[in-house]
Amino acid sequence: GDLHTILTFSLPMSPLSMSPCARMQHWGLNTYLYGPKDDLKHRLLWREVYSPEEEGQLRTLIAEAQSRGLKFVYALSPGQDIVFSSSCDLTLLKRKLRQVSDLGCQAFAILFDDIDHSMCQADSEAFSSFAHAQVTVTNEIYRFLGEPPVFLFCPTEYCGSLCSPSISKSPYLQTIGEDLLPDITVVWTGSKVISRKLSVDCLAEVESVLQRPPLIWDNLHANDYDSRRLFLGPFKGREPQLRSNLRGLLLNPNCEFEANYIPLHTLGSWYRAGKEERKGEGIDEECEYCPDRALSAALHDWMEELNQPLQGREGEKKRPNQSVQPNQPPGSKPLAHSGGGKGQKAQGRGLCGGKGLLSESQVRLLVGLHYLPHEHGLSAQKLLQDLTWLKTNCHLVSTNSKKAPPQKIDEWRGRASRFMSLCEDIAQLHCSVVGGANRAVLYDLYPYVWDLRNMALVAKAFICWLGCGKSTGADLLGMESEPWVFKGGVSGEVQMLLPIGSSNDLFTHPPPLFPTSRLYNIRPYHGKDKVRSHTHMFLFTAHPDVIGDRCLGPCLALCPEYSFILEDELGVCGCVLGILDVRSFAKRCQVSWMPAMRDKYPSKGGNTHSNTQDLIQLMEEDQGEYPDSLLYHFPSQLRLDALPELVDISVSRTLLTALLTALKANGSQGVFCEVQPTDRQRLEFLTKLGFLEILRGEARSREGVVLGRLL
């Protein structure tokens, strides 16, 4: 094969939808590189040969590629523990590659990326340098395989930022350029591991040192370094003229097969544009590569496939040869949802049905929110810009600040409305993906859409809370950062803009096993809301307000600004209550709440042992006396009496996170919650959110376990 026309990429094969090879053939690409990290015999156990069953799978893979006119490249990564001077290791390396060659493979790659430069004593005595050791082994393997037309070598210094001291002065690269056989192709990623731009000029220096044109291993869409990021944007930032200055371009895509439709579709457009440019001058503008135009074409084609009924993985089995992300496969852990009286009702609230259609505007939103590693799409830019501005200018609507000019207040509320509308669109997108016809797309995209939905719920609730004017501005800054620094993409950046953004344990959880299409919303409590407690207790009187007055009343009456409502299409389905300053709250209860309760539930006939008197005593005990040592570090309190029990437990976590955000914004440095020792579900729920046990009943007069966490 003519190496100048090779475009290769490392992509998991999939039995679902159109296979990678079929898509590549359709879009004019011509080479498939096999190198999945979850094939342990590719890297960790590289010395071991494949079993007969594994041989059969590889043979099928190779035959599928070749039947589509694609060159199949088998990659091996022995660099972590190979002893270059060991004749035994060299024999095992040859045995492994001979086995794959016998399966029909005619192209190979030896990868020495992401390994330590140091050599063992035996290698130090046998070779003059690390590069010399790699080159010696690579050249021998190349000759052993009969000098195949396609043979790739990935150096340890594979980008400009890894070269010491620089590209032109690197002894390592100089040795590679001088001693590696000239027909062996060297892999290069550009100036960085993930290069924002690639141009002819930026590759001239490395081509000179390597004494050959490089092959670009392009990590633009690779997402295996961040389990919360996905890249659905177009192939971008690579000059079409590159094509005549390379031996090929290898695209390392998203780990999830279904996420790569746009990256591969637009790569094909880029490739064809490069071919057109080689035909001569006078190029029609329509033939030039335009990322936005290529994205629109890819979206048009993808829409047809997205809404085609297609089943996902059967039994949640991992697809063959798929690189996976740690802790990220959908359904990787069973759902730990609360049981109890609402169990059947909760399950009725929206298990995915798989009958909906995704609109083009929703797919554009999806792509804009999961665009490229160095660049957000328009929807993500608006989301982040508005959130930043609204938080910075929340004093305009705060009741604790001087009254702002009406036009400034209108501007704040207008941008808040736009921001909250976009958050609602994200929640609706989540529902449409879950309820969509294409289940394969659901399984691959769900963890990312679910994560962003939860973040949008918290951010929307926060802005809605700011709009109520209850912020004191005590701690609104969040975490200052440069763009793209923190992991998590748009979700991570929204997180870091929240006052509680540095608390990763509140935001990083595996998605539920059973996706739910119920549309949720979180907002501050309004006086007209009807909230009921899920607490079961003996009714001392027949009065219908007893449970509410005891469990919810004090918070809703005295500090409603720290009460957040969860609602779905059926109405209010849960609430979480908070107290900013427990000391002050207890005093206010004694002054105003308890007298009101004594009037509402009067003692009859002077009987001091009546049920009513017992109820009043319990209400007083509920406010509790907590030691100063506790309140010094944890001045705020949570009350979970109305916390919902849902199929997707993450919604309850998100509800609680919205409250913690408000408490932190108004200066709280720590929060505690009292739970009965027999309530294992609540104890587990809080523990997974970073709460630790502080006090038990033995150390005090009450039975409850006190758990706390710093904010």
Side-chain angles (χ1 to χ4, degrees):
D2 179 1
L3 290 179
H4 287 284
T5 64
I6 284 182
L7 285 147
T8 63
F9 57 96
S10 173
L11 183 70
M13 286 288 191
S14 171
L16 309 175
S17 184
M18 185 186 292
S19 72
C21 293
R23 285 183 174 176
M24 290 176 64
Q25 181 187 36
H26 181 66
W27 293 323
L29 308 180
N30 59 21
T31 304
Y32 175 95
L33 184 141
Y34 174 92
K37 291 185 174 66
D38 63 344
D39 176 356
L40 296 181
K41 295 179 180 178
H42 155 74
R43 190 178 184 95
L44 184 64
L45 305 178
W46 65 267
R47 294 177 178 85
E48 297 186 15
V49 295
Y50 290 107
S51 67
E53 180 182 359
E54 292 166 337
E55 278 188 334
Q57 293 175 342
L58 263 180
R59 186 182 289 109
T60 300
L61 218 58
I62 294 167
E64 164 70 7
Q66 293 174 348
S67 71
R68 301 283 183 178
L70 307 175
K71 189 173 294 295
F72 182 96
V73 181
Y74 177 82
L76 197 66
S77 298
Q80 284 188 323
D81 61 357
I82 187 173
V83 178
F84 293 96
S85 58
S86 167
S87 59
C88 179
D89 268 4
L90 192 58
T91 299
L92 293 174
L93 186 57
K94 291 177 178 177
R95 181 184 69 164
K96 181 65 164 287
L97 294 176
R98 172 58 67 190
Q99 180 190 28
V100 178
S101 176
D102 291 342
L103 298 177
C105 182
Q106 301 171 352
F108 301 88
I110 298 292
L111 312 180
F112 292 112
D113 57 311
D114 302 331
I115 59 174
D116 191 355
H117 275 73
S118 62
M119 293 189 291
C120 66
Q121 183 175 350
D123 286 347
S124 298
E125 294 172 355
F127 302 106
S128 58
S129 67
F130 193 48
H132 181 216
Q134 292 181 357
V135 166
T136 301
V137 168
T138 301
N139 286 342
E140 182 167 346
I141 293 298
Y142 175 64
R143 293 190 181 103
F144 168 76
L145 291 171
E147 301 187 2
V150 177
F151 191 90
L152 313 182
F153 168 84
C154 182
T156 305
E157 294 182 5
Y158 56 81
C159 67
S161 62
L162 293 178
C163 294
S164 180
S166 65
I167 294 175
S168 60
K169 297 180 180 180
S170 165
Y172 175 90
L173 286 188
Q174 289 172 359
T175 301
I176 300 298
E178 293 169 0
D179 296 343
L180 194 68
L181 291 173
D183 288 333
I184 296 177
T185 298
V186 179
V187 169
W188 186 253
T189 67
S191 60
K192 306 284 186 181
V193 176
I194 305 169
S195 297
R196 183 167 190 161
K197 292 184 180 296
L198 291 172
S199 65
V200 174
D201 292 341
C202 77
L203 296 178
E205 185 179 21
V206 70
E207 180 177 350
S208 174
V209 176
L210 295 177
Q211 301 182 27
R212 72 202 77 198
L215 179 143
I216 292 296
W217 178 301
D218 200 334
N219 289 314
L220 183 65
H221 291 91
N223 68 336
D224 56 352
Y225 58 89
D226 188 345
S227 63
R228 295 177 71 188
R229 299 194 75 177
L230 191 70
F231 302 116
L232 303 178
F235 192 70
K236 189 174 183 180
R238 283 82 178 111
E239 295 178 354
Q241 299 87 344
L242 276 176
R243 203 177 162 284
S244 58
N245 293 271
L246 298 173
R247 288 195 176 179
L249 187 144
L250 179 149
L251 179 63
N252 187 18
N254 296 282
C255 293
E256 296 78 10
F257 172 70
E258 297 295 340
N260 292 304
Y261 192 98
I262 291 173
L264 297 185
H265 192 293
T266 55
L267 172 63
S269 299
W270 177 87
Y271 178 48
R272 291 190 297 274
K275 291 175 69 175
E276 290 295 327
E277 295 221 358
R278 292 210 310 171
K279 291 181 180 179
E281 297 181 3
I283 302 298
D284 190 315
E285 187 175 328
E286 290 297 317
C287 295
E288 294 181 358
Y289 181 73
C290 170
D292 291 338
R293 198 161 54 232
L295 173 59
S296 293
L299 277 170
H300 178 270
D301 292 347
W302 198 27
M303 285 298 301
E304 295 184 13
E305 189 163 315
L306 280 175
N307 289 320
Q308 290 295 319
L310 186 66
Q311 291 303 311
R313 294 190 285 272
E314 182 178 349
E316 290 299 311
K317 292 180 180 178
K318 182 179 62 180
R319 295 194 297 256
N321 312 317
Q322 179 178 356
S323 299
V324 296
Q325 302 175 56
N327 302 323
Q328 198 55 40
S332 58
K333 292 186 180 180
L335 175 66
H337 68 83
S338 300
K342 281 188 66 179
Q344 291 183 341
K345 182 178 179 182
Q347 291 192 14
R349 286 181 177 265
L351 286 175
C352 57
K355 296 180 181 179
L357 294 178
L358 280 163
S359 67
E360 183 174 342
S361 62
Q362 286 183 316
V363 178
R364 285 190 175 275
L365 174 62
L366 176 69
V367 173
L369 294 168
H370 303 88
Y371 201 64
L372 292 171
H374 303 97
E375 179 183 359
H376 289 315
L378 288 178
S379 52
Q381 292 176 34
K382 290 178 182 177
L383 187 78
L384 294 168
Q385 289 167 1
D386 281 343
L387 177 57
T388 302
W389 187 90
L390 290 166
K391 189 182 69 168
T392 302
N393 294 280
C394 69
H395 62 276
L396 296 173
V397 292
S398 174
T399 56
N400 298 305
S401 302
K402 292 182 180 179
K403 188 170 179 61
Q407 63 270 25
K408 287 292 185 181
I409 296 175
D410 290 344
E411 181 184 5
W412 195 96
R413 299 208 178 278
R415 293 189 70 160
S417 177
R418 184 176 72 177
F419 176 82
M420 290 190 285
S421 178
L422 182 52
C423 290
E424 290 168 5
D425 290 341
I426 293 171
Q428 186 61 61
L429 171 64
H430 170 270
C431 294
S432 296
V433 170
V434 173
N438 192 316
R439 315 314 286 160
V441 170
L442 164 65
Y443 284 122
D444 277 353
L445 301 189
Y446 178 69
Y448 304 97
V449 177
W450 168 85
D451 182 33
L452 194 55
R453 186 280 305 263
N454 289 347
M455 192 62 64
L457 286 176
V458 176
K460 179 175 180 286
F462 176 57
I463 293 302
C464 190
W465 178 78
L466 289 178
C468 295
K470 301 301 182 181
S471 168
T472 63
D475 195 356
L476 280 169
L477 293 179
M479 183 73 71
E480 295 297 324
S481 65
E482 293 295 331
W484 344 125
V485 168
F486 291 96
K487 288 196 171 188
V490 175
S491 292
E493 290 187 51
V494 171
Q495 174 186 328
M496 299 316 294
L497 286 171
L498 298 174
I500 204 164
S502 59
S503 301
N504 283 321
D505 53 346
L506 293 174
F507 299 95
T508 53
H509 298 277
L513 179 59
F514 302 108
T516 59
S517 58
R518 180 62 64 183
L519 185 63
Y520 290 106
N521 180 47
I522 297 173
R523 59 170 175 79
Y525 167 80
H526 299 152
K528 62 184 178 181
D529 289 323
K530 294 182 179 180
V531 182
R532 73 181 186 90
S533 172
H534 297 162
T535 301
H536 303 284
M537 64 174 67
F538 175 72
L539 298 184
F540 290 94
T541 76
H543 201 292
D545 294 343
V546 167
I547 297 179
D549 283 341
R550 179 182 172 188
C551 300
L552 310 177
C555 292
L556 296 180
L558 301 179
C559 52
E561 64 270 28
Y562 301 108
S563 300
F564 283 82
I565 295 292
L566 176 70
E567 56 189 0
D568 60 15
E569 297 101 323
L570 304 179
V572 174
C573 56
C575 178
V576 64
L577 314 174
I579 301 167
L580 180 65
D581 185 338
V582 172
R583 283 196 184 96
S584 172
F585 177 81
K587 292 177 182 178
R588 292 171 65 197
C589 273
Q590 291 302 323
V591 171
S592 60
W593 181 253
M594 290 312 302
M597 290 299 99
R598 292 188 186 99
D599 291 341
K600 186 172 183 178
Y601 303 105
S603 173
K604 294 182 181 179
N607 182 1
T608 57
H609 297 288
S610 69
N611 289 341
T612 301
Q613 286 298 104
D614 290 342
L615 172 62
I616 295 297
Q617 182 177 349
L618 283 173
M619 286 186 175
E620 291 178 340
E621 290 176 356
D622 284 339
Q623 308 317 315
E625 286 192 12
Y626 298 98
D628 290 341
S629 58
L630 170 69
L631 298 180
Y632 179 81
H633 296 286
F634 307 96
S636 303
Q637 185 179 12
L638 300 180
R639 296 198 173 178
L640 306 181
D641 297 293
L643 190 71
E645 297 171 355
L646 305 168
V647 170
D648 184 354
I649 194 68
S650 71
V651 178
S652 297
R653 283 197 296 261
T654 303
L655 175 62
L656 186 59
T657 302
L659 170 58
L660 295 179
T661 300
L663 292 172
K664 174 68 172 177
N666 275 355
S668 176
Q669 298 302 309
V671 62
F672 72 91
C673 184
E674 188 169 1
V675 181
Q676 290 301 308
T678 55
D679 192 348
R680 294 187 177 181
Q681 290 173 340
R682 293 262 169 90
L683 289 170
E684 181 182 3
F685 174 78
L686 290 170
T687 300
K688 288 183 177 179
L689 287 173
F691 283 77
L692 301 175
E693 183 179 319
I694 301 172
L695 294 173
R696 266 196 179 265
E698 301 86 57
R700 42 206 289 273
S701 60
R702 296 163 61 87
E703 293 181 358
V705 178
V706 175
L707 296 93
R709 67 160 290 150
L710 297 175
L711 298 179

